[in-house]
Structures are given as structure tokens and as C-alpha cells.
Amino acid sequence: MKQTNSSKTKQKRYNKQRMMKKLNCILTLLLLAMGLTRAMADDQTLSLGNYEEVVAGDWNEDQCYQGSWWMIAPTQFYVKHTGSQFIYTKEQLAQMAGKEVKGMSFVFYNQSSFSAIPRTINVWVKEIDDDAFAYNDEKKAYAYFDFDDAEKVLTDYAFDTDFVDYYCLNGELNLAFDKAFAYSGDKNLLVTITFDGDETAETSSDIEFYYNTDAENMAMSTNSDNVTFADYHESEDWPYAKGAGYTVSHATQLAQPLTQFTYQEAAKPEVKPAELTGIVSCDGEPIMGATVTLTSGETKYEVTSDAEGKYTLNIKAENVDKEYTLTAKAAGY
């Protein structure tokens, strides 16, 4: 049967479309596994001052913050918003040099609170050269440290402890960081903490935090029912701790709050030989005989996919922690 010119044209177009589909088909590399583990150390603690020995309600040796209602750190539950900064010296933290700080805790005494006072807590940490808050003679005020360049280690932590569980007892405000902070130990440590909520304590002395008798003038605090510390940080009044009263109040030259840090040895990679396994396919169909290549500089691994399109590359331990390019090639694709 003689083929018409029209039929020949259709057949050529069909063959061309098939060839173009095959040539343009992208080989899919499905990455299944690659091994790299890290060895983690057990948690350790560093307690400053007499953190573990402070006695609840021992009025003969009272270590709770005293004075006006805002003269307290890390927070005053009598107001809705608090922002505090603390300096910890490298001498205090020598035990944590070269370690990863995972969290911090403060100890409080519950004098008369019978309910939860919810707060959203944020924490920033940075290393600094200074070991004191600077005083500006012209402004007649102490200045906070800027923390734009600090590492945020805790974001929007919801604190809703029911204080009635600690009535006339000591309790702990435990802050486990979202990510550990690598502390070099070469500098001092600045911690910035904000507390924000809608409820307040019934009296200013419901919850009383303890201070470190060995670290005077190492803390500052801002308290307000109207202005968050974040808003104050963005205002024209920043960084000077000036003003007191209804809008915002500042506490300067406070003693460092009694603090306990949680830390661990710096995580070190425990590298083992790895397997990189996957499937080469096109439009969902496995491709047999594809050459799969893994390269990083002069390091190169190569293998051929089997009848099911599967491949496995065995990577030596010394080559695992590299950035690789993975490619696949097959005849006609």
C-alpha cells in the first residue's frame, strides 16, 4: 500500500516528537540516605553564687531584691512588660569556656502568688568586652547594650507556671534555649531577656527573685505596663535608662540575678563511611545502565544503575563532610 505524503509527514512528526521527548527527559535522582552523625555530651550545670543553697523565706539572710517595686531582675510580674540585661564575666563562666550553653535558670521565692501569670519570653546572648554598664555624664544615665547583633537563643517561649505549686517555697524559672550558644570564654557574656504578657501579679511582692551577692551592679531592668522592651529599643530614648513613672521605669546598678547555666561539651562530628542510595528514573520509569557520578573537586565516585534504576555509592569517612554534585547520564537522555 502506497503511503501518502500526508501520512509520511505525520510519521516523521511522531518520530521527531518521540525523539525530542527522550532527549529532553530529565533523569530524576532520588536521594535516599547519607550518613553523618554527631556525638553529643551529657548536660552539665554551672551555678553562680549560692544558687543551690539559698533558703526560702530566710529573712535573716534575705537575698531577694529589695527597694522600689521595679528594682528586680530578670522580671517583675507586677507589670506587663519587662526587659533585662545581665553581664556575666569570663571569670565567672571559666568553666564553660569552649562549651555550648543550652539554657539558664533563675530561682525565685513565692511569697503570696496563687495563680499563673503567663509571659512570652525571648532571650538574646552575645559576647562583650565590657564588664560594666557605661554611665553617660551628659545624659546622667546608664546605657543598655545594643543587642541587634546578639544571637537569639530562645524565641517566644510561653511561660505559664502555676505559682501556687511553690507557695512559700523556692521555685525555678527554667529557660531551655532553642539552640545552643557556643561560648568562647575569651570575653564576658551579655544576656538580654524580655517578658511580655497581659496579666499582672496582685501585689509587687508576690514573686521575689534572688540576687547574686557576689555580683553587684551587673544588671539593669526596664519595666512598663505600656511599652515593651523591644519598642523601647526602637525609640529615640534608647539606650539611656532615663525616666520613671507610669510609662516606663528603669532599675540600674542591680545585682546580677542568682543564675544557673546548663551547658555541654561542644558537639564534635563522629564521621563514619556513608552510603548514598537512590533511583534514576524518567517520567516515573526506572533507567537501567545510567552512569551516576558524585564529585567534589578531585574526589569522584561513580556507579551504574541496575535494572530497577537503583544505585549505591560508598563514600569513605574522610570524604563524607564535603559538598558534592550528583549527576546521572544515560544513552539517549
Side-chain angles (χ1 to χ4, degrees):
M1 182 176 180
K2 187 175 181 180
Q3 192 174 26
T4 65
N5 289 336
S6 176
S7 297
K8 289 180 180 179
T9 301
K10 289 181 180 179
Q11 185 64 43
K12 287 180 180 178
R13 187 182 300 120
Y14 175 72
N15 291 339
K16 184 176 181 181
Q17 288 174 345
R18 285 191 62 191
M19 182 59 68
M20 288 299 294
K21 181 178 180 181
K22 187 175 182 181
L23 288 173
N24 292 334
C25 182
I26 298 174
L27 298 181
T28 302
L29 289 152
L30 177 62
L31 176 65
L32 297 182
M34 190 167 185
L36 174 61
T37 60
R38 291 187 177 271
M40 305 301 289
D42 294 333
D43 289 348
Q44 302 176 61
T45 57
L46 170 62
S47 299
L48 303 183
N50 61 330
Y51 186 95
E52 296 174 327
E53 289 83 30
V54 65
V55 178
D58 187 351
W59 302 114
N60 293 323
E61 297 182 13
D62 185 31
Q63 276 183 247
C64 293
Y65 287 96
Q66 299 296 316
S68 300
W69 58 265
W70 69 83
M71 304 290 286
I72 187 171
T75 188
Q76 168 58 271
F77 285 100
Y78 188 60
V79 295
K80 296 179 180 179
H81 309 291
T82 305
S84 298
Q85 289 192 335
F86 321 123
I87 299 173
Y88 299 94
T89 66
K90 59 185 179 182
E91 289 77 19
Q92 286 181 302
L93 307 182
Q95 181 178 319
M96 297 197 305
K99 309 296 194 299
E100 293 184 343
V101 184
K102 296 183 62 180
M104 59 194 308
S105 303
F106 306 97
V107 62
F108 62 81
Y109 171 64
N110 181 3
Q111 180 172 304
S112 57
S113 182
F114 291 93
S115 63
I117 309 173
R119 290 291 184 269
T120 299
I121 304 176
N122 290 275
V123 181
W124 294 260
V125 181
K126 67 182 284 189
E127 295 188 32
I128 59 173
D129 293 316
D130 307 80
D131 60 2
F133 292 94
Y135 184 78
N136 186 289
D137 291 320
E138 182 181 347
K139 297 285 185 178
K140 305 296 182 185
Y142 284 90
Y144 293 95
F145 288 90
D146 200 3
F147 57 99
D148 278 333
D149 58 343
E151 185 170 344
K152 194 170 188 181
V153 294
L154 184 62
T155 301
D156 295 340
Y157 170 65
F159 174 78
D160 57 358
T161 294
D162 193 344
F163 289 112
V164 72
D165 294 338
Y166 302 96
Y167 179 61
C168 288
L169 297 172
N170 285 341
E172 284 185 305
L173 171 60
N174 297 306
L175 302 176
F177 296 165
D178 295 330
K179 61 176 182 176
F181 177 80
Y183 176 56
S184 71
D186 297 330
K187 296 185 177 183
N188 303 314
L189 196 68
L190 176 74
V191 175
T192 303
I193 301 182
T194 60
F195 294 76
D196 297 292
D198 296 322
E199 300 179 26
T200 60
E202 294 183 3
T203 70
S204 59
S205 59
D206 278 349
I207 306 298
E208 299 184 341
F209 283 90
Y210 292 91
Y211 63 86
N212 185 355
T213 58
D214 298 328
E216 296 181 355
N217 304 333
M218 303 293 280
M220 288 175 57
S221 181
T222 294
N223 301 274
S224 177
D225 277 331
N226 305 284
V227 181
T228 67
F229 192 69
D231 288 339
Y232 167 65
H233 178 238
E234 298 301 321
S235 73
E236 61 182 12
D237 296 326
W238 176 267
Y240 301 107
K242 293 190 65 176
Y246 181 74
T247 302
V248 61
S249 298
H250 298 284
T252 60
Q253 295 181 284
L254 290 177
Q256 189 184 80
L258 207 54
T259 309
Q260 182 180 79
F261 288 93
T262 302
Y263 69 95
Q264 66 181 17
E265 297 293 332
K268 297 180 180 179
E270 183 183 355
V271 184
K272 300 177 181 179
E275 279 191 356
L276 181 63
T277 304
I279 298 173
V280 182
S281 64
C282 180
D283 287 346
E285 296 295 325
I287 304 300
M288 178 181 177
T291 300
V292 180
T293 307
L294 189 69
T295 56
S296 179
E298 296 182 358
T299 303
K300 181 178 179 180
Y301 294 92
E302 195 168 271
V303 72
T304 302
S305 61
D306 63 17
E308 297 178 342
K310 295 180 180 179
Y311 65 89
T312 298
L313 293 160
N314 296 302
I315 305 164
K316 295 179 180 179
E318 62 265 28
N319 293 328
V320 167
D321 199 14
K322 292 183 178 181
E323 185 174 321
Y324 285 94
T325 299
L326 182 66
T327 59
K329 293 182 179 179
Y333 291 84

